[in-house]
Amino acid sequence: GQFGNLDDEVVAAVSQTVSQLPKLCRLTLSFWQMGQDGAAALTASVAELRPLQELTLNLPACGELDDAHFLHLAQAIAKHHSLTRLSLFLGLCNRMSDSGLRKFGNSLGDLSKLAAV
């Protein structure tokens, strides 16, 4: 609907702005609702950030996102070997399967420097 598209546009704009901050090491983002386009934009910007040390994502309404969206987000996060703190809140993930949740966790990879999750 109209609100979903507006939210994706906001997510994309914020994600693009964040990706243009080359020395950003701590990132906290909270989006009430995110659709597939917003998830793709957020994942792309998270993948580009270097050197990211702390990441907090608060996404309480992820109803449109499926296993593939979460897998791509996990793979983008896993690229940050300098990450020391990770906080994720993913709500209303009714399209994520049990196996998708396991793949999401496994795809975070070796984040051995994490001091807090």
Side-chain angles (χ1 to χ4, degrees):
Q2 180 181 4
F3 292 108
N5 291 338
L6 176 64
D7 289 336
D8 277 355
E9 289 174 13
V10 171
V11 173
V14 170
S15 296
Q16 181 174 359
T17 300
V18 164
S19 68
Q20 295 174 2
L21 302 171
K23 295 186 179 189
L24 187 70
C25 62
R26 292 181 186 97
L27 178 62
T28 299
L29 292 174
S30 182
F31 295 108
W32 171 247
Q33 182 178 357
M34 183 179 347
Q36 296 175 3
D37 293 340
L42 177 64
T43 298
S45 70
V46 167
E48 291 177 22
L49 294 173
R50 296 286 185 274
L52 191 60
Q53 295 173 349
E54 296 182 17
L55 177 62
T56 300
L57 294 177
N58 181 17
L59 310 172
C62 298
E64 291 185 34
L65 308 183
D66 60 17
D67 290 348
H69 292 101
F70 289 109
L71 180 61
H72 292 171
L73 179 59
Q75 290 167 341
I77 293 169
K79 292 180 179 182
H80 297 285
H81 301 290
S82 60
L83 203 61
T84 58
R85 181 177 297 267
L86 176 62
S87 177
L88 298 173
F89 175 72
L90 307 172
L92 302 176
C93 304
N94 53 339
R95 292 186 62 197
M96 180 189 274
S97 67
D98 289 344
S99 64
L101 180 59
R102 281 190 294 279
K103 287 178 184 177
F104 178 81
N106 292 338
S107 294
L108 287 174
D110 178 25
L111 296 174
S112 57
K113 293 185 180 182
L114 280 183
V117 178

